[in-house]
Amino acid sequence: ALAQTLAEQNQTLQVLGLESNGIGDDGIEALSNMLKTNRTLTCLSLSANQITDDGLRFLTDALVKNPATLEELNLSGNPGIT
């Protein structure tokens, strides 16, 4: 629901901190879909979640499709990323 709202309605949010929320690859897939269209978010922190290499692939795909907006991405503390 959050990712969908950000994709469709966000016109002002620039910084989003989602640290230690237990976000796994399904959540990252939804956030990645939002990142493909979002034009305002410049800083996203996803540290200390449960993201794996599969989730990282979703993020990479999104950032390739929309490389101009996000300037800072924190993925520290996700032991599933090798």
Side-chain angles (χ1 to χ4, degrees):
L2 173 65
Q4 183 177 353
T5 300
L6 290 173
E8 296 172 358
Q9 299 175 7
N10 178 41
Q11 296 179 4
T12 57
L13 185 68
Q14 295 179 334
V15 177
L16 181 59
L18 296 172
E19 303 89 353
S20 301
N21 276 287
I23 298 171
D25 293 336
D26 290 340
I28 291 304
E29 184 175 15
L31 284 170
S32 296
N33 288 332
M34 174 273 298
L35 288 173
K36 291 176 185 176
T37 59
N38 188 281
R39 300 288 184 239
T40 62
L41 198 62
T42 59
C43 178
L44 177 60
S45 180
L46 296 166
S47 64
N49 281 290
Q50 297 175 12
I51 304 165
T52 70
D53 290 337
D54 291 334
L56 187 57
R57 281 189 273 287
F58 292 131
L59 284 170
T60 302
D61 180 56
L63 295 175
V64 166
K65 291 185 169 126
N66 185 13
T69 306
L70 197 64
E71 298 172 5
E72 184 177 338
L73 175 62
N74 183 353
L75 294 168
S76 64
N78 284 283
I81 297 176
T82 57

Coordinates of all heavy atoms in Angstrom, one line a residue:
A1 N 0.8 -1.2 0.0 CA 0.0 0.0 0.0 C 0.9 1.3 0.0 O 0.6 2.2 -0.7 CB -0.9 0.0 1.2
L2 N 1.9 1.3 0.8 CA 2.8 2.4 0.8 C 3.5 2.7 -0.5 O 3.5 3.8 -1.0 CB 3.9 2.3 1.9 CG 5.0 3.3 1.9 CD1 4.4 4.7 2.3 CD2 6.1 3.0 2.9
A3 N 4.0 1.6 -1.1 CA 4.7 1.8 -2.4 C 3.7 2.2 -3.5 O 4.1 3.1 -4.3 CB 5.3 0.4 -2.8
Q4 N 2.5 1.7 -3.5 CA 1.5 2.2 -4.5 C 1.2 3.6 -4.3 O 1.1 4.4 -5.2 CB 0.3 1.3 -4.4 CG -0.8 1.7 -5.4 CD -2.0 0.8 -5.4 OE1 -2.0 -0.2 -4.6 NE2 -3.0 1.1 -6.2
T5 N 1.0 4.1 -3.0 CA 0.7 5.5 -2.8 C 1.8 6.4 -3.2 O 1.6 7.4 -3.8 CB 0.4 5.7 -1.3 OG1 -0.7 4.9 -0.9 CG2 0.1 7.1 -1.0
L6 N 3.1 6.0 -2.9 CA 4.2 6.8 -3.3 C 4.3 6.8 -4.9 O 4.7 7.9 -5.4 CB 5.5 6.2 -2.7 CG 5.6 6.4 -1.2 CD1 6.9 5.7 -0.7 CD2 5.7 7.9 -0.9
A7 N 4.0 5.8 -5.5 CA 4.1 5.7 -7.0 C 3.0 6.6 -7.6 O 3.3 7.3 -8.6 CB 3.9 4.3 -7.5
E8 N 1.8 6.7 -7.0 CA 0.7 7.4 -7.7 C 0.5 8.8 -7.2 O 0.0 9.6 -7.9 CB -0.6 6.5 -7.4 CG -0.5 5.2 -8.1 CD -1.7 4.3 -7.7 OE1 -2.6 4.8 -6.9 OE2 -1.8 3.2 -8.2
Q9 N 0.8 9.1 -5.9 CA 0.4 10.3 -5.3 C 1.6 11.2 -4.8 O 1.3 12.4 -4.5 CB -0.6 10.1 -4.2 CG -1.8 9.4 -4.7 CD -2.8 9.0 -3.5 OE1 -2.6 9.4 -2.4 NE2 -3.8 8.3 -3.9
N10 N 2.7 10.7 -4.6 CA 3.8 11.4 -4.0 C 4.3 12.5 -5.0 O 4.7 12.3 -6.1 CB 5.0 10.5 -3.7 CG 6.1 11.4 -3.1 OD1 5.9 12.3 -2.3 ND2 7.3 11.0 -3.5
Q11 N 4.3 13.8 -4.5 CA 4.8 14.9 -5.2 C 5.8 15.7 -4.4 O 6.4 16.6 -4.9 CB 3.7 15.8 -5.7 CG 2.7 15.1 -6.7 CD 1.6 16.0 -7.1 OE1 1.5 17.2 -6.8 NE2 0.7 15.5 -7.9
T12 N 6.0 15.3 -3.2 CA 6.9 16.1 -2.3 C 7.9 15.3 -1.5 O 9.0 15.8 -1.2 CB 6.1 16.9 -1.3 OG1 5.3 16.0 -0.6 CG2 5.2 17.9 -2.0
L13 N 7.7 14.0 -1.2 CA 8.5 13.3 -0.3 C 9.9 13.0 -1.0 O 10.0 12.5 -2.1 CB 7.9 11.9 0.1 CG 8.7 11.1 1.1 CD1 8.7 11.7 2.4 CD2 8.1 9.7 1.1
Q14 N 11.0 13.5 -0.3 CA 12.3 13.3 -0.8 C 13.1 12.3 -0.1 O 14.0 11.7 -0.6 CB 13.0 14.7 -0.8 CG 12.4 15.7 -1.7 CD 13.1 17.0 -1.6 OE1 13.7 17.4 -0.7 NE2 13.0 17.8 -2.7
V15 N 12.9 12.1 1.2 CA 13.7 11.2 2.1 C 12.7 10.2 2.7 O 11.7 10.6 3.3 CB 14.4 12.0 3.1 CG1 15.2 11.0 4.0 CG2 15.4 13.0 2.5
L16 N 13.1 8.9 2.6 CA 12.3 7.8 3.2 C 13.2 6.8 3.9 O 14.1 6.3 3.3 CB 11.5 7.1 2.1 CG 10.5 6.0 2.5 CD1 9.5 6.5 3.5 CD2 9.9 5.3 1.3
G17 N 12.9 6.7 5.2 CA 13.7 5.8 6.0 C 12.9 4.6 6.5 O 11.9 4.8 7.2
L18 N 13.2 3.4 6.0 CA 12.5 2.2 6.3 C 13.4 1.2 7.0 O 13.4 0.0 6.7 CB 11.9 1.6 5.0 CG 10.8 2.5 4.4 CD1 10.4 1.9 3.0 CD2 9.6 2.6 5.3
E19 N 14.3 1.7 7.9 CA 15.3 0.8 8.5 C 14.6 -0.1 9.5 O 13.6 0.3 10.2 CB 16.3 1.7 9.3 CG 17.0 2.7 8.5 CD 16.3 4.1 8.5 OE1 15.1 4.2 8.9 OE2 16.9 5.0 7.9
S20 N 15.1 -1.3 9.6 CA 14.6 -2.3 10.6 C 13.1 -2.6 10.6 O 12.5 -2.6 11.6 CB 15.1 -1.8 12.0 OG 16.5 -1.7 12.1
N21 N 12.6 -2.7 9.4 CA 11.2 -3.0 9.3 C 10.9 -4.4 8.8 O 9.7 -4.7 8.5 CB 10.5 -2.0 8.3 CG 10.2 -0.7 8.9 OD1 9.2 -0.7 9.7 ND2 11.0 0.3 8.7
G22 N 11.9 -5.3 8.8 CA 11.6 -6.7 8.3 C 11.2 -6.8 6.9 O 10.6 -7.8 6.5
I23 N 11.6 -5.8 6.1 CA 11.3 -5.8 4.7 C 12.1 -6.9 3.9 O 13.3 -6.9 4.0 CB 11.5 -4.4 4.0 CG1 10.7 -3.4 4.7 CG2 11.3 -4.5 2.5 CD1 11.0 -2.0 4.3
G24 N 11.4 -7.8 3.3 CA 12.0 -8.8 2.5 C 11.9 -8.5 1.0 O 11.6 -7.4 0.6
D25 N 12.1 -9.5 0.2 CA 12.2 -9.3 -1.3 C 10.8 -9.0 -1.8 O 10.8 -8.2 -2.8 CB 12.7 -10.6 -1.9 CG 14.2 -10.8 -1.6 OD1 14.9 -9.8 -1.3 OD2 14.7 -11.9 -1.7
D26 N 9.7 -9.5 -1.3 CA 8.4 -9.1 -1.8 C 8.2 -7.6 -1.6 O 7.7 -6.9 -2.5 CB 7.3 -9.9 -1.1 CG 7.3 -11.3 -1.5 OD1 7.8 -11.6 -2.6 OD2 6.7 -12.1 -0.8
G27 N 8.5 -7.1 -0.4 CA 8.4 -5.6 -0.1 C 9.3 -4.8 -1.0 O 8.9 -3.7 -1.5
I28 N 10.5 -5.3 -1.3 CA 11.4 -4.6 -2.2 C 10.9 -4.6 -3.6 O 11.1 -3.6 -4.3 CB 12.8 -5.2 -2.1 CG1 13.4 -5.0 -0.7 CG2 13.8 -4.7 -3.2 CD1 13.5 -3.5 -0.3
E29 N 10.3 -5.7 -4.0 CA 9.7 -5.7 -5.4 C 8.7 -4.6 -5.5 O 8.6 -3.8 -6.5 CB 9.1 -7.0 -5.7 CG 8.6 -7.1 -7.1 CD 8.1 -8.5 -7.5 OE1 7.8 -9.3 -6.6 OE2 7.9 -8.7 -8.7
A30 N 7.8 -4.4 -4.5 CA 6.8 -3.3 -4.5 C 7.5 -2.0 -4.5 O 7.1 -1.1 -5.3 CB 5.8 -3.5 -3.4
L31 N 8.4 -1.8 -3.7 CA 9.1 -0.5 -3.6 C 9.9 -0.2 -4.9 O 9.9 0.9 -5.4 CB 10.1 -0.5 -2.5 CG 9.5 -0.2 -1.1 CD1 10.6 -0.5 0.0 CD2 8.9 1.2 -1.0
S32 N 10.4 -1.3 -5.5 CA 11.1 -1.1 -6.8 C 10.2 -0.6 -7.9 O 10.6 0.2 -8.7 CB 11.8 -2.4 -7.2 OG 12.8 -2.7 -6.2
N33 N 9.0 -1.2 -7.9 CA 8.0 -0.7 -8.9 C 7.7 0.8 -8.7 O 7.5 1.5 -9.7 CB 6.8 -1.6 -8.8 CG 7.0 -3.0 -9.4 OD1 7.8 -3.2 -10.2 ND2 6.2 -3.9 -8.9
M34 N 7.6 1.2 -7.5 CA 7.4 2.6 -7.2 C 8.6 3.5 -7.7 O 8.4 4.5 -8.3 CB 7.2 2.8 -5.7 CG 7.1 4.3 -5.2 SD 8.7 5.1 -4.8 CE 9.4 4.2 -3.5
L35 N 9.8 3.0 -7.5 CA 11.0 3.7 -7.9 C 11.1 3.9 -9.4 O 11.7 4.8 -9.9 CB 12.3 3.0 -7.4 CG 12.5 3.1 -5.9 CD1 13.7 2.2 -5.5 CD2 12.8 4.6 -5.5
K36 N 10.4 3.0 -10.2 CA 10.5 3.2 -11.6 C 9.7 4.4 -12.1 O 10.0 4.9 -13.2 CB 9.8 1.9 -12.3 CG 10.6 0.7 -12.1 CD 9.9 -0.5 -12.7 CE 10.6 -1.8 -12.4 NZ 9.9 -3.0 -12.9
T37 N 8.8 4.9 -11.3 CA 8.0 6.1 -11.7 C 8.1 7.3 -10.8 O 7.8 8.4 -11.2 CB 6.5 5.7 -11.8 OG1 6.1 5.3 -10.5 CG2 6.3 4.6 -12.8
N38 N 8.6 7.1 -9.6 CA 8.7 8.2 -8.6 C 9.7 9.2 -9.1 O 10.8 8.9 -9.5 CB 9.0 7.7 -7.2 CG 8.9 8.8 -6.2 OD1 9.8 9.6 -6.1 ND2 7.9 8.8 -5.5
R39 N 9.4 10.5 -9.0 CA 10.3 11.6 -9.5 C 10.8 12.5 -8.4 O 11.5 13.5 -8.7 CB 9.6 12.4 -10.5 CG 9.1 11.7 -11.7 CD 10.3 11.3 -12.6 NE 9.8 10.7 -13.8 CZ 10.2 9.5 -14.2 NH1 11.0 8.8 -13.4 NH2 9.8 8.9 -15.3
T40 N 10.4 12.2 -7.1 CA 10.8 13.1 -6.0 C 11.8 12.5 -5.0 O 12.6 13.2 -4.4 CB 9.6 13.7 -5.3 OG1 8.9 12.6 -4.7 CG2 8.7 14.4 -6.2
L41 N 11.8 11.2 -4.8 CA 12.5 10.6 -3.8 C 14.0 10.6 -4.1 O 14.4 10.2 -5.2 CB 12.1 9.1 -3.6 CG 12.5 8.4 -2.3 CD1 11.9 9.1 -1.1 CD2 12.1 7.0 -2.4
T42 N 14.8 11.2 -3.2 CA 16.3 11.3 -3.5 C 17.1 10.5 -2.5 O 18.2 10.1 -2.8 CB 16.8 12.8 -3.4 OG1 16.4 13.3 -2.1 CG2 16.1 13.7 -4.4
C43 N 16.5 10.1 -1.4 CA 17.2 9.3 -0.4 C 16.3 8.2 0.2 O 15.2 8.5 0.6 CB 17.7 10.2 0.7 SG 18.6 9.4 2.1
L44 N 16.8 7.0 0.1 CA 16.1 5.8 0.6 C 17.0 5.0 1.4 O 18.0 4.5 1.0 CB 15.5 5.0 -0.6 CG 14.8 3.7 -0.3 CD1 13.5 4.0 0.5 CD2 14.4 3.0 -1.6
S45 N 16.6 4.7 2.7 CA 17.3 3.9 3.6 C 16.6 2.6 3.8 O 15.4 2.7 4.4 CB 17.6 4.6 4.9 OG 18.4 3.7 5.7
L46 N 17.2 1.5 3.5 CA 16.6 0.2 3.7 C 17.5 -0.7 4.5 O 17.5 -1.9 4.4 CB 16.3 -0.5 2.3 CG 15.3 0.2 1.4 CD1 15.4 -0.3 0.0 CD2 13.9 0.0 2.0
S47 N 18.3 -0.1 5.4 CA 19.2 -0.8 6.2 C 18.5 -1.7 7.2 O 17.4 -1.5 7.6 CB 20.2 0.2 6.9 OG 19.4 1.0 7.9
A48 N 19.2 -2.8 7.6 CA 18.8 -3.7 8.6 C 17.4 -4.3 8.4 O 16.5 -4.4 9.2 CB 18.8 -3.0 10.0
N49 N 17.2 -4.8 7.1 CA 16.0 -5.5 6.8 C 16.4 -6.9 6.4 O 17.4 -7.4 6.8 CB 15.3 -4.7 5.6 CG 14.5 -3.5 6.2 OD1 13.5 -3.7 6.8 ND2 14.9 -2.3 5.9
Q50 N 15.6 -7.5 5.6 CA 15.8 -8.9 5.2 C 15.9 -9.1 3.7 O 15.4 -10.0 3.1 CB 14.7 -9.8 5.8 CG 14.7 -9.8 7.3 CD 13.6 -10.6 7.9 OE1 12.9 -11.3 7.3 NE2 13.4 -10.4 9.2
I51 N 16.6 -8.1 3.1 CA 16.7 -8.1 1.6 C 17.8 -9.1 1.2 O 18.9 -9.1 1.9 CB 17.1 -6.7 1.2 CG1 16.0 -5.7 1.6 CG2 17.2 -6.6 -0.4 CD1 16.4 -4.2 1.5
T52 N 17.6 -9.8 0.1 CA 18.6 -10.7 -0.4 C 19.0 -10.3 -1.8 O 18.6 -9.2 -2.2 CB 18.0 -12.2 -0.5 OG1 17.0 -12.2 -1.6 CG2 17.3 -12.6 0.8
D53 N 19.9 -11.0 -2.4 CA 20.3 -10.7 -3.7 C 19.2 -10.6 -4.7 O 19.2 -9.8 -5.7 CB 21.4 -11.8 -4.2 CG 22.7 -11.7 -3.5 OD1 23.0 -10.6 -2.9 OD2 23.4 -12.7 -3.4
D54 N 18.1 -11.4 -4.5 CA 17.0 -11.3 -5.4 C 16.3 -9.9 -5.3 O 16.0 -9.3 -6.3 CB 15.9 -12.4 -5.1 CG 16.4 -13.8 -5.4 OD1 17.3 -13.9 -6.3 OD2 15.9 -14.8 -4.8
G55 N 16.2 -9.4 -4.1 CA 15.6 -8.1 -3.9 C 16.5 -7.0 -4.5 O 16.0 -6.0 -5.0
L56 N 17.8 -7.2 -4.4 CA 18.8 -6.3 -5.0 C 18.6 -6.2 -6.5 O 18.7 -5.1 -7.1 CB 20.2 -6.7 -4.6 CG 21.3 -5.7 -5.0 CD1 21.1 -4.4 -4.4 CD2 22.6 -6.3 -4.5
R57 N 18.3 -7.3 -7.1 CA 18.0 -7.3 -8.5 C 16.8 -6.5 -8.9 O 16.8 -5.8 -9.9 CB 17.9 -8.8 -9.1 CG 19.2 -9.5 -9.3 CD 19.1 -10.8 -10.0 NE 18.8 -11.9 -9.1 CZ 19.7 -12.5 -8.3 NH1 20.9 -12.0 -8.2 NH2 19.3 -13.5 -7.6
F58 N 15.7 -6.6 -8.1 CA 14.6 -5.7 -8.3 C 15.0 -4.2 -8.2 O 14.6 -3.4 -9.1 CB 13.5 -6.0 -7.2 CG 12.8 -7.3 -7.3 CD1 12.7 -8.1 -6.2 CD2 12.4 -7.8 -8.5 CE1 12.1 -9.3 -6.2 CE2 11.7 -9.1 -8.6 CZ 11.6 -9.8 -7.5
L59 N 15.8 -3.9 -7.2 CA 16.2 -2.5 -7.1 C 17.0 -2.0 -8.2 O 16.9 -0.9 -8.8 CB 17.0 -2.3 -5.8 CG 16.2 -2.3 -4.5 CD1 17.1 -2.3 -3.3 CD2 15.3 -1.0 -4.4
T60 N 18.0 -2.9 -8.7 CA 18.8 -2.5 -9.8 C 18.0 -2.3 -11.0 O 18.3 -1.3 -11.8 CB 19.9 -3.7 -10.0 OG1 20.6 -3.9 -8.8 CG2 20.8 -3.3 -11.1
D61 N 17.1 -3.1 -11.3 CA 16.2 -3.0 -12.5 C 15.5 -1.6 -12.4 O 15.4 -0.9 -13.4 CB 15.2 -4.1 -12.6 CG 14.3 -4.0 -13.8 OD1 14.8 -3.9 -14.9 OD2 13.1 -4.0 -13.6
A62 N 14.9 -1.3 -11.3 CA 14.2 0.0 -11.1 C 15.1 1.2 -11.3 O 14.7 2.1 -12.0 CB 13.6 0.0 -9.7
L63 N 16.3 1.1 -10.8 CA 17.2 2.3 -10.9 C 17.7 2.4 -12.3 O 18.1 3.5 -12.7 CB 18.3 2.1 -9.9 CG 17.9 2.2 -8.4 CD1 19.0 2.0 -7.5 CD2 17.2 3.5 -8.1
V64 N 17.8 1.4 -13.0 CA 18.2 1.5 -14.5 C 17.1 2.1 -15.3 O 17.4 3.0 -16.1 CB 18.5 0.1 -15.0 CG1 18.6 0.1 -16.5 CG2 19.8 -0.5 -14.4
K65 N 15.9 1.9 -14.9 CA 14.8 2.5 -15.6 C 14.5 3.9 -15.2 O 13.9 4.7 -16.0 CB 13.5 1.6 -15.4 CG 13.6 0.3 -16.1 CD 12.3 -0.5 -16.0 CE 12.5 -1.7 -16.9 NZ 12.3 -2.9 -16.4
N66 N 14.9 4.3 -14.0 CA 14.7 5.7 -13.6 C 16.0 6.2 -12.8 O 16.0 6.3 -11.6 CB 13.5 5.8 -12.6 CG 13.2 7.2 -12.2 OD1 13.7 8.1 -12.8 ND2 12.3 7.3 -11.2
P67 N 17.1 6.4 -13.5 CA 18.4 6.7 -12.9 C 18.5 8.1 -12.4 O 19.4 8.4 -11.6 CB 19.4 6.4 -14.0 CG 18.6 6.7 -15.2 CD 17.2 6.3 -15.0
A68 N 17.7 9.0 -12.7 CA 17.9 10.4 -12.5 C 17.5 10.9 -11.1 O 18.0 11.9 -10.6 CB 17.2 11.3 -13.5
T69 N 16.7 10.2 -10.4 CA 16.1 10.7 -9.1 C 16.9 10.3 -7.9 O 17.3 11.2 -7.1 CB 14.6 10.3 -9.0 OG1 13.9 10.7 -10.2 CG2 14.0 11.0 -7.8
L70 N 17.0 9.1 -7.6 CA 17.6 8.6 -6.3 C 19.1 8.9 -6.3 O 19.8 8.5 -7.2 CB 17.3 7.1 -6.2 CG 17.5 6.6 -4.7 CD1 16.4 7.2 -3.8 CD2 17.3 5.1 -4.7
E71 N 19.5 9.6 -5.3 CA 20.9 9.9 -5.1 C 21.6 9.1 -4.0 O 22.8 8.9 -4.1 CB 21.0 11.4 -4.8 CG 20.5 12.3 -5.9 CD 20.4 13.8 -5.4 OE1 20.9 14.1 -4.3 OE2 19.9 14.6 -6.2
E72 N 20.8 8.7 -3.0 CA 21.4 7.9 -1.9 C 20.6 6.7 -1.6 O 19.3 6.8 -1.4 CB 21.5 8.8 -0.7 CG 22.2 8.2 0.5 CD 22.3 9.2 1.6 OE1 22.3 10.4 1.4 OE2 22.4 8.7 2.8
L73 N 21.2 5.6 -1.5 CA 20.5 4.3 -1.2 C 21.3 3.6 -0.1 O 22.5 3.3 -0.4 CB 20.4 3.5 -2.4 CG 19.8 2.1 -2.2 CD1 18.3 2.1 -1.7 CD2 19.8 1.3 -3.6
N74 N 20.8 3.3 1.1 CA 21.5 2.6 2.1 C 20.9 1.2 2.3 O 19.7 1.0 2.6 CB 21.3 3.4 3.4 CG 22.1 2.7 4.6 OD1 22.6 1.6 4.5 ND2 22.1 3.4 5.7
L75 N 21.7 0.2 2.0 CA 21.4 -1.2 2.1 C 22.2 -1.9 3.2 O 22.2 -3.2 3.2 CB 21.5 -1.9 0.8 CG 20.6 -1.4 -0.4 CD1 21.1 -2.0 -1.7 CD2 19.2 -1.8 0.0
S76 N 22.9 -1.2 4.0 CA 23.7 -1.8 5.0 C 22.9 -2.7 6.0 O 21.7 -2.4 6.2 CB 24.5 -0.8 5.8 OG 23.6 0.1 6.6
G77 N 23.5 -3.7 6.5 CA 22.9 -4.5 7.5 C 21.8 -5.5 7.0 O 20.9 -6.0 7.7
N78 N 21.9 -5.8 5.7 CA 21.0 -6.8 5.1 C 21.9 -8.0 4.8 O 22.6 -8.1 3.8 CB 20.4 -6.3 3.8 CG 19.3 -5.3 4.0 OD1 18.2 -5.8 4.4 ND2 19.5 -4.0 3.9
P79 N 21.9 -9.0 5.7 CA 22.9 -10.1 5.6 C 22.6 -11.0 4.4 O 23.5 -11.8 4.0 CB 22.7 -10.9 6.9 CG 21.4 -10.5 7.4 CD 21.1 -9.1 6.9
G80 N 21.5 -10.9 3.7 CA 21.2 -11.7 2.6 C 21.8 -11.2 1.3 O 21.7 -11.8 0.2
I81 N 22.4 -10.0 1.4 CA 23.0 -9.4 0.2 C 24.5 -9.8 0.3 O 25.2 -9.4 1.2 CB 22.8 -7.9 0.1 CG1 21.4 -7.5 0.0 CG2 23.7 -7.3 -1.1 CD1 21.1 -6.0 0.0
T82 N 25.0 -10.5 -0.8 CA 26.4 -10.9 -0.7 C 27.2 -10.1 -1.6 O 26.9 -9.4 -2.4 CB 26.5 -12.4 -1.2 OG1 25.9 -12.5 -2.5 CG2 25.7 -13.3 -0.3

